[in-house]
Structures are given as C-alpha cells and as structure tokens.
Amino acid sequence: MACSSSGLRSEPSSTFCSMSSDRRRGRVRDTSPSTRASLWPCICDRIRVVVDPIRGRLISLPVAVLGMVLIIVSSAVIGAAAGALVIPNPEPGVEKHYDDTFRVLASNDPDPGRSSQTVGVYEYADNGSITAVNRTVVTQPVQLWDSNIQSRDALVIANESDMYQSGLHGFVQVPYRDRWTPLTDWWNTEFRILPLYSADPSRATSTDGRYTVEVRHPNGWWNPVYNAEVERVDGNLTVTNPDEALVLSSYYSTVIDRKIQIVEGLLQHSAMAPSPAAARSTSSVPTRNGSDVFPTTDGASVGLQWRSGSHELVRDAYVGNIDVIPGVWHDGRYVTPSWQLYTYVPWDYRIDVPSDYSESGSCTIGNNTYSLTRWADYRLLDSDAEVVNVTAGNISLDYARPGMWTTVNLTSSAPRHLPPGRYDLTATLHIETELETHYGVSSARCSEWDSTRVTNRTVELQYTVPIETVNSDDLSVDVQVYDRPGRDVVSVNWTGEQGLAAGAAAWEDVEVQIGEKTMYVTAPWRFYSVSRNTHVEERTSGSTTSIEASHSYRGTYPAMLHYRMSPANVSVLADQPADQHIWWNRTYVARNRSVPATPLPSSIVATQNTKPTYLYDQFAGVLKSTDQVTGESVTAEASDVWGLPVDTSVSVTRYRESELTVTVNQSAGTAEVFLTSATGLPLPGRTITFDGAAVDSVTTGADGRATVDVTGTIVRAHFAGDHWRDSRPTYYLDAHGYGVSQTAFVGGATGVFGYLSAAISNAAIFAEWLVFGIFALLWMRFMRERPASRR
C-alpha cells in the first residue's frame, strides 16, 4: 500500500527526513482579535514505511535502524492474524462504514495488530565491513496532520499503532464511510488513465479491464474511478461515460465534530433528553474499568412517612469536564491559550421516587380493637437540573451549545482573556426536586383521614479542574542564514522560555524558505490523544447496563478524549523539489536544558519519550542541495502549538568569492600564496593549508600573503572559507591554488616511469595534474631534459 501525501509519513531522525509540500496547508497566520475569537482549535511517530512484498502490509521501522541499514528482507508481518484488520472492499455505489476508524484518536486503547517484526538488514561497520543481520522492531506512533487521511491508512493506524500531533490546531479529519461521486463532479480535478500494467492491480479497472482511472484528491493522493469506459478519441485516451463512472472517496468527521458527539452522547439522558421523564429515569455515567470517571453523588434527602430513616431522591448525579480546547493535559492541569478557551461539560442525574407504602395497625373503640391501614403515596411533581455556572478565574463562561462553554462573549463575539497564570475551571450543576407525599389512614371503623405534603429539595454539585493559560508573547526566534552555493548555513536562535509556561506557548516549528528550498525545524512536543473511559453505564432504578465506549462513527457513546503531552526530539525536515535533492547536516547546537520524559499510558509505545529531550538556544547546520545558486530570497516564520505566529526575525549573510594564487620561487625553493577577494582586496588573517610544503598551514598576513618552503613537485594550497561562527564583517568562500616546483624533480631519472615516480606523490595529486594540464607540462619538460644517449 502506498503512503498518501498527508497520511503516513516518514519518521525524522534527529537530523533529517523528507516531507511533502502540503505540510502547511490550512495553517492560520492572521492574528487579529476577530480571527483569534473565531479560531476553532482541533484537534504519520512519523515512521519510515516499507511494504512486505508478499502480503503488501505496512511495516514500520524505527529511524535508528533505517539511518544505518539497507532493507533487504521483510520476513515477518505485523502481528495480527490475517482477518484481524478489515479494510472495506468497495463496491461501486454501495456506501460502507469503517468500523473503529476513530480508534486512531485513542492512542492508549489496545491495538489488535500491534506486534514486533523481524527485519533483515545490512549493517555497515566503521571499518567498512558489511554484515547481514536480523533486527526486531516494534510499531512506532504515527503523526496525524491537519489534512484528512485515507480510510485505508486510518484503519491501519487504528489497528496497529498510536497517533500523535505536533500542534493543537487545525481540523484533523477521520474517514468513516464510503462516498461515491460521479466523475463529472471531479472534471476540474487532475485525473489520469494508466495501462493496467503500470498501476496497482488491486485498484479499480476500466470496464474492459485494460486501464486504471484515478483522480487527484485535494490532499494529494489518487482516488480510484470505478465503471469507467475508456476509449481512444482523437488519439487520446478518455473516459466516455463520466456520468456513470464513480469516484470512491470518503465522508469525514473532524476531531471537533467528534468532541461534540462525545458530549452530546453523554447528554442524551439529561440536557438533550427527549422528555423530562426520560431525563429523570436514566443517568449515563462514564466509567473506566468499572470506576466512575467523575464522582457521582446521591442527594435530596426526604423523610419517609410512617417509616424511620430517609430517602435520597437524586441518584447518580455528576458534573464533569471532558476536555479543554485548545488544550492539553500536562503536569496535572490543562494548558490552554490565554486568549480564549472552550470546555466540554457533561452532566447527568436520575430521580428515584420512594415506593408507595402501607402498613397494618389498629385502633380501640371502647373495649373493642379494630384494624386500620396507614398508607403513603409519593409522586414527583417536578425536577429540574442544569449547569448554572462555569467559571475560570474571574470569568463566567458563556453557554455556547449543549455541554459546551466558552470564554468568548457570545453577545459581542469578543474573546475575554485570562492573563497567563494558573486558575481553577469550575462547573456547577444545580438540581431542584419537588415531591408530593399523600398519606393517611384507612379503616372500616377507625377514624379515617388523609393529608398532602410537598417537599422541595436542592442538590448542588461542583467539579473543578486546574488550568494554566499561556501565550507565546515572550518567545522570539531569530533565523540567520549564511548564503553559500549549495551549502547554506541555517542557524535558528531562540530567546525566551520554550516550554508550556507563561509567555511561552511552546513553538511548533520554524519554517525557512531559501529561494526554492524550504526547511522546517520541528519542536519536540508530541500530543497524544487518549481515551479517558472504557464504558458508559446506563443506571436506572431497576438495573445498570454497561455499554463499551465506541470508536465507530455511529457508536452510542463515543470514548471521551483529551490530549496528553510528551517530549520527543527536535528535528529538521525539508521539502524535496522534483528537480533537486536537499539534505541537512547538523553542525552546531547550544543546549539550554533538558525536558524529562512525561508519563504516558503503558499501552503507548513511544520509545523516544523514555529519555530526556533537549531544548536549544541555538540549532544550526548546513542545508545542502544540488542547487548552487547564491543571492536567493530568504524568509522565515515560526508558529506556536496553537497555530499562531511567533515573533520571528531574519538576517542574511552573503558569502563572497575569494581567489588564491600560488607563486613558486624556484631559486629559493619557496612558494608564496596570495589570498584576495574577487575584486583583488587582500584577505588577512586566514588559514591556508598545504600539500607539498614544509608546513601544514600558515596564516595570511596583513597583505593577504604568506610564504612556505616547497617539498614536493606540486604545492597545493587550500583556503577552507570563513567559518560562519567567526565574527567578520564580510565572509568569503573557499579557494584552491596550485604551483609547480622545477627544483623538486629527481635529476637522475633516466626514463619516463622513473621520472613520473619521482614527480607524483599520490593519486590525488595525479588527478589534479590531469585536471590542470600539469601532466602535459611535465611530459614536455621530460622530453627536453632526458639524457642525450637515449635520443
């Protein structure tokens, strides 16, 4: 199975991995107050993916293995049995649902297909030896991007891996059902017709079985076309029945939609109940392995007529907090931006009316005793419950929709800021009940009477979660680019706190554009979406029914989700234009502190989280490419994990050409080097290295010159160029120079081979002879100077 451009992706090593050009699609850059107020935060470890050539299954490999080995054999398949992973087999025009697709959003849930694989690899030792070895690897987490993923990829991830995101923004979309569209609705989209032998034979074919027709999805991958009639018209292949040909794509639901489904599922017997009776009869309580996720309370105690004790009218009442968005649960609190937040508040309760009661008694009239019955009937006159207040700091949040509250003032649409700091987010549920008790005495002879009593009771519950608001106002990034042909140095420098703290909302990535080259420095933060409950219990007066928290689109109770953060590593990624190659070589870093591993559920296999992660004041390296252009335009921008820009500055230093000349003084046996700019300006204080000289290196003087003794036939001089970390007003590129010494030849050479043996010191210099025409010069000298007896 091929990886899509926005589905499964390559895992970055500590220095580099490739990425596709849709990396930044949909990123928010406008930071005006109106834009911030309207932002809806939302919500492949990127793994290298190879394909088992026998079964076509995905095999994911850790970067440490792939960075040092060449895959030669794929000898095992990911662990589930062949029938464990069900990928819908499309039928033209028939919509199919994808079971458990939303499991991709619950990293801590079981992965039925997770296992280890044995992979045959070539391992390269430092001494140059190559050894074939077997390595055992495990399925690594997969990164989900903002753009949606194909159903096939989603099912593979859900079945075999965990997911994470690098930011808390955008609209990650999850497929849940087939969608069939006539090809005519895709005519404005690129499509292609491939001979069957050039395409994936498992994909749809044309009606004659000779071609595969595909259309390009907006996110980059190719969708198959079914029932297409392909004919050659005017010499070109075309589809002649676009109204009948069907394109297979998917219906999607965003993570925001999923959050709404979660809270509305829990509110179906309270705020969204079809009737008051339905609301009072059942309480839907989220549980995890049999324990309540949110504490439940019984209350509204009333006395019982004719009986001792009391009765609790309100049962299984709770109010909770599913999630704070945009936010992440980190270090015992929700971390959320200071400019706005939304929170999802589920609640429920049920009413348990006392059962009617009667008891036998007697009365005495004169000397006679007569029987009587004391009785009591109970009737609920009314009950009402609602979340009366949700507060954060000094702000009372506005009610946005059932179960959702926000700091945005919905009357004016203006956000209300919570300055960076720590607060309590508290939801208050208020329940009122009104019970009628009708009671009395019935008897054939004794005095009869009855009375009515109305009892009002109130129960109030609160649930509090700690939050911390942050922003990136105090964080800034300075990008310095040293422009050189094919070897640009990029230095990223941070000022301010980089963690989730006041004034530092944690940066997500730094994008640097140098001409046609684009690179990203990605932050170490990973956000794992985890499931908070395993079941929901429907509790009534007669029974308790446990329903498994669902990962399917139509599930009764979707699993509650929120994000957990863990560190991983700082990485560099680069776009790969079709006409060139780009790679990164890290040369210098300045660490400022390390971030300890953050506890994650044991079911999440995140090996990089088991060791400290470093943050940097400076992260620099060489961006190498086959593009030799200098003087390119340079831009840079950085964003925080909320998708908002971080203050970014750019400075560019252009390297200039240098020239190095070597002049040999035959009589003195010395060579003088002269280092200048392309315009002839002497370059003092530069180190020149040599081959064929008495010293390895010298430093040019104030006039850009230096002199060395000659020991070889050829004097080769090299200026390595100015180091980018040196403080100089102007930086110059490397230069080479050569000089030929006549006095270094062996005078007694009597043949051409002896002459060459004395003249050539090594194969590298011989190659330079050929390049610079020096061999021809020496051959002519040999012909002139050979002994007369040989002429």
Side-chain angles (χ1 to χ4, degrees), residues 346-363:
W347 59 273
D348 211 341
Y349 77 108
R350 65 182 178 87
I351 297 294
D352 185 20
V353 178
S355 58
D356 293 344
Y357 178 79
S358 65
E359 64 180 22
S360 298
S362 63
C363 66

mmCIF file of all heavy atoms in Angstrom, residues 346-363:
data_model
loop_
_atom_site.group_PDB
_atom_site.id
_atom_site.type_symbol
_atom_site.label_atom_id
_atom_site.label_comp_id
_atom_site.label_asym_id
_atom_site.label_seq_id
_atom_site.Cartn_x
_atom_site.Cartn_y
_atom_site.Cartn_z
ATOM 1 N N PRO A 346 -20.010 17.548 30.608
ATOM 2 C CA PRO A 346 -21.137 16.606 30.659
ATOM 3 C C PRO A 346 -21.741 16.571 32.065
ATOM 4 O O PRO A 346 -21.066 16.883 33.059
ATOM 5 C CB PRO A 346 -20.467 15.265 30.318
ATOM 6 C CG PRO A 346 -19.102 15.407 30.912
ATOM 7 C CD PRO A 346 -18.718 16.870 30.782
ATOM 8 N N TRP A 347 -22.988 16.188 32.149
ATOM 9 C CA TRP A 347 -23.626 16.031 33.451
ATOM 10 C C TRP A 347 -24.850 15.130 33.294
ATOM 11 O O TRP A 347 -25.367 14.949 32.187
ATOM 12 C CB TRP A 347 -24.038 17.391 34.036
ATOM 13 C CG TRP A 347 -24.991 18.175 33.171
ATOM 14 C CD1 TRP A 347 -24.668 19.030 32.171
ATOM 15 C CD2 TRP A 347 -26.423 18.159 33.245
ATOM 16 N NE1 TRP A 347 -25.805 19.563 31.593
ATOM 17 C CE2 TRP A 347 -26.905 19.037 32.248
ATOM 18 C CE3 TRP A 347 -27.336 17.495 34.060
ATOM 19 C CZ2 TRP A 347 -28.257 19.274 32.036
ATOM 20 C CZ3 TRP A 347 -28.695 17.732 33.864
ATOM 21 C CH2 TRP A 347 -29.142 18.615 32.846
ATOM 22 N N ASP A 348 -25.287 14.593 34.399
ATOM 23 C CA ASP A 348 -26.486 13.756 34.373
ATOM 24 C C ASP A 348 -26.934 13.473 35.804
ATOM 25 O O ASP A 348 -26.196 13.728 36.762
ATOM 26 C CB ASP A 348 -26.227 12.443 33.630
ATOM 27 C CG ASP A 348 -27.480 11.919 32.929
ATOM 28 O OD1 ASP A 348 -28.596 12.356 33.297
ATOM 29 O OD2 ASP A 348 -27.337 11.074 32.035
ATOM 30 N N TYR A 349 -28.130 12.955 35.912
ATOM 31 C CA TYR A 349 -28.695 12.546 37.204
ATOM 32 C C TYR A 349 -29.933 11.718 36.905
ATOM 33 O O TYR A 349 -30.410 11.662 35.764
ATOM 34 C CB TYR A 349 -29.071 13.768 38.045
ATOM 35 C CG TYR A 349 -30.365 14.431 37.602
ATOM 36 C CD1 TYR A 349 -31.527 14.321 38.364
ATOM 37 C CD2 TYR A 349 -30.438 15.142 36.404
ATOM 38 C CE1 TYR A 349 -32.722 14.909 37.948
ATOM 39 C CE2 TYR A 349 -31.597 15.730 35.980
ATOM 40 C CZ TYR A 349 -32.749 15.613 36.750
ATOM 41 O OH TYR A 349 -33.927 16.186 36.331
ATOM 42 N N ARG A 350 -30.458 11.074 37.904
ATOM 43 C CA ARG A 350 -31.765 10.431 37.793
ATOM 44 C C ARG A 350 -32.524 10.637 39.093
ATOM 45 O O ARG A 350 -31.924 10.959 40.126
ATOM 46 C CB ARG A 350 -31.633 8.945 37.470
ATOM 47 C CG ARG A 350 -30.987 8.105 38.536
ATOM 48 C CD ARG A 350 -30.865 6.644 38.101
ATOM 49 N NE ARG A 350 -30.212 5.823 39.102
ATOM 50 C CZ ARG A 350 -30.829 5.212 40.122
ATOM 51 N NH1 ARG A 350 -32.166 5.342 40.257
ATOM 52 N NH2 ARG A 350 -30.163 4.477 40.984
ATOM 53 N N ILE A 351 -33.823 10.470 39.024
ATOM 54 C CA ILE A 351 -34.691 10.635 40.187
ATOM 55 C C ILE A 351 -35.213 9.276 40.619
ATOM 56 O O ILE A 351 -35.695 8.490 39.789
ATOM 57 C CB ILE A 351 -35.878 11.573 39.887
ATOM 58 C CG1 ILE A 351 -35.367 12.974 39.552
ATOM 59 C CG2 ILE A 351 -36.846 11.609 41.054
ATOM 60 C CD1 ILE A 351 -34.684 13.676 40.705
ATOM 61 N N ASP A 352 -35.116 9.004 41.898
ATOM 62 C CA ASP A 352 -35.633 7.758 42.463
ATOM 63 C C ASP A 352 -36.735 8.116 43.459
ATOM 64 O O ASP A 352 -36.453 8.570 44.574
ATOM 65 C CB ASP A 352 -34.511 6.989 43.153
ATOM 66 C CG ASP A 352 -34.969 5.627 43.643
ATOM 67 O OD1 ASP A 352 -35.993 5.138 43.145
ATOM 68 O OD2 ASP A 352 -34.297 5.057 44.533
ATOM 69 N N VAL A 353 -37.988 7.969 43.046
ATOM 70 C CA VAL A 353 -39.132 8.310 43.891
ATOM 71 C C VAL A 353 -39.361 7.182 44.895
ATOM 72 O O VAL A 353 -39.315 5.997 44.523
ATOM 73 C CB VAL A 353 -40.385 8.533 43.035
ATOM 74 C CG1 VAL A 353 -41.594 8.852 43.911
ATOM 75 C CG2 VAL A 353 -40.135 9.649 42.034
ATOM 76 N N PRO A 354 -39.613 7.501 46.172
ATOM 77 C CA PRO A 354 -39.878 6.432 47.147
ATOM 78 C C PRO A 354 -41.090 5.593 46.720
ATOM 79 O O PRO A 354 -42.042 6.100 46.119
ATOM 80 C CB PRO A 354 -40.168 7.184 48.446
ATOM 81 C CG PRO A 354 -39.545 8.518 48.269
ATOM 82 C CD PRO A 354 -39.639 8.830 46.814
ATOM 83 N N SER A 355 -41.007 4.327 46.988
ATOM 84 C CA SER A 355 -42.129 3.449 46.652
ATOM 85 C C SER A 355 -43.299 3.712 47.601
ATOM 86 O O SER A 355 -43.117 4.131 48.759
ATOM 87 C CB SER A 355 -41.698 1.985 46.754
ATOM 88 O OG SER A 355 -41.224 1.688 48.048
ATOM 89 N N ASP A 356 -44.503 3.510 47.096
ATOM 90 C CA ASP A 356 -45.689 3.662 47.933
ATOM 91 C C ASP A 356 -45.624 2.666 49.099
ATOM 92 O O ASP A 356 -45.038 1.580 48.975
ATOM 93 C CB ASP A 356 -46.955 3.428 47.119
ATOM 94 C CG ASP A 356 -47.159 4.519 46.070
ATOM 95 O OD1 ASP A 356 -46.502 5.576 46.187
ATOM 96 O OD2 ASP A 356 -47.938 4.298 45.123
ATOM 97 N N TYR A 357 -46.241 3.055 50.198
ATOM 98 C CA TYR A 357 -46.079 2.267 51.408
ATOM 99 C C TYR A 357 -47.424 2.135 52.118
ATOM 100 O O TYR A 357 -48.245 3.049 52.107
ATOM 101 C CB TYR A 357 -45.074 2.960 52.323
ATOM 102 C CG TYR A 357 -44.853 2.265 53.637
ATOM 103 C CD1 TYR A 357 -44.037 1.145 53.723
ATOM 104 C CD2 TYR A 357 -45.479 2.734 54.798
ATOM 105 C CE1 TYR A 357 -43.821 0.505 54.928
ATOM 106 C CE2 TYR A 357 -45.271 2.100 56.009
ATOM 107 C CZ TYR A 357 -44.438 0.979 56.069
ATOM 108 O OH TYR A 357 -44.243 0.341 57.273
ATOM 109 N N SER A 358 -47.600 0.977 52.747
ATOM 110 C CA SER A 358 -48.771 0.774 53.625
ATOM 111 C C SER A 358 -48.387 -0.208 54.716
ATOM 112 O O SER A 358 -47.518 -1.065 54.525
ATOM 113 C CB SER A 358 -49.965 0.249 52.834
ATOM 114 O OG SER A 358 -49.707 -1.044 52.327
ATOM 115 N N GLU A 359 -49.026 -0.018 55.860
ATOM 116 C CA GLU A 359 -48.796 -0.930 56.977
ATOM 117 C C GLU A 359 -50.083 -1.082 57.751
ATOM 118 O O GLU A 359 -50.978 -0.221 57.738
ATOM 119 C CB GLU A 359 -47.697 -0.416 57.886
ATOM 120 C CG GLU A 359 -48.034 0.892 58.583
ATOM 121 C CD GLU A 359 -46.919 1.374 59.493
ATOM 122 O OE1 GLU A 359 -45.768 0.957 59.284
ATOM 123 O OE2 GLU A 359 -47.215 2.174 60.414
ATOM 124 N N SER A 360 -50.212 -2.218 58.417
ATOM 125 C CA SER A 360 -51.422 -2.515 59.197
ATOM 126 C C SER A 360 -51.263 -2.010 60.619
ATOM 127 O O SER A 360 -50.165 -2.021 61.194
ATOM 128 C CB SER A 360 -51.683 -4.024 59.225
ATOM 129 O OG SER A 360 -51.906 -4.507 57.926
ATOM 130 N N GLY A 361 -52.368 -1.563 61.171
ATOM 131 C CA GLY A 361 -52.398 -1.109 62.558
ATOM 132 C C GLY A 361 -53.765 -1.385 63.169
ATOM 133 O O GLY A 361 -54.591 -2.118 62.594
ATOM 134 N N SER A 362 -54.034 -0.763 64.269
ATOM 135 C CA SER A 362 -55.335 -0.988 64.931
ATOM 136 C C SER A 362 -55.693 0.238 65.746
ATOM 137 O O SER A 362 -54.842 1.067 66.061
ATOM 138 C CB SER A 362 -55.264 -2.226 65.824
ATOM 139 O OG SER A 362 -54.314 -2.046 66.866
ATOM 140 N N CYS A 363 -56.965 0.314 66.036
ATOM 141 C CA CYS A 363 -57.445 1.361 66.921
ATOM 142 C C CYS A 363 -58.407 0.711 67.928
ATOM 143 O O CYS A 363 -58.975 -0.355 67.692
ATOM 144 C CB CYS A 363 -58.135 2.482 66.159
ATOM 145 S SG CYS A 363 -59.679 1.991 65.351
#
